[in-house]
Amino acid sequence: MSDRPTQLGIRARGEPSPRLRKYEVSGEDEEGFIHSFHTDDMQQALDIAEIMREDLARVRIDSHDT
C-alpha cells in the first residue's frame, strides 16, 4: 500500500478529475454531483466501489498514470 493518503472529493458533472492517485472510484448522486475516491490500492478501490454502489449511480473505477 502507498504511503500517500487516500482522498475523497466531490465535483460538478463535467469538471475534470484531479487524477490524484492511480485509481479513481467515482459515482454520481441524485443531484448530478460526482463523488470520487482516489487511492493507489486496487483492492481498496474495489471495496470502495462496492460501498458507493449502495447510494450512487454509474459507479466506475478509472486507472490513471501518476
Side-chain angles (χ1 to χ4, degrees):
M1 186 173 277
S2 173
D3 291 334
R4 298 188 302 170
T6 57
Q7 294 187 324
L8 179 66
I10 300 174
R11 63 184 188 277
R13 187 183 314 149
E15 288 183 16
S17 165
R19 299 181 181 217
L20 301 169
R21 302 288 180 264
K22 184 172 182 178
Y23 301 104
E24 176 184 10
V25 184
S26 62
E28 189 174 328
D29 68 19
E30 292 175 357
E31 296 173 354
F33 289 100
I34 305 297
H35 297 249
S36 60
F37 182 87
H38 305 264
T39 183
D40 290 325
D41 182 88
M42 179 53 138
Q43 185 57 54
Q44 186 176 39
L46 292 168
D47 293 343
I48 294 298
E50 185 176 331
I51 293 167
M52 284 181 147
R53 283 187 183 101
E54 295 174 6
D55 297 313
L56 301 174
R58 293 188 277 277
V59 174
R60 56 188 276 174
I61 298 174
D62 293 312
S63 178
H64 305 297
D65 293 329
T66 54

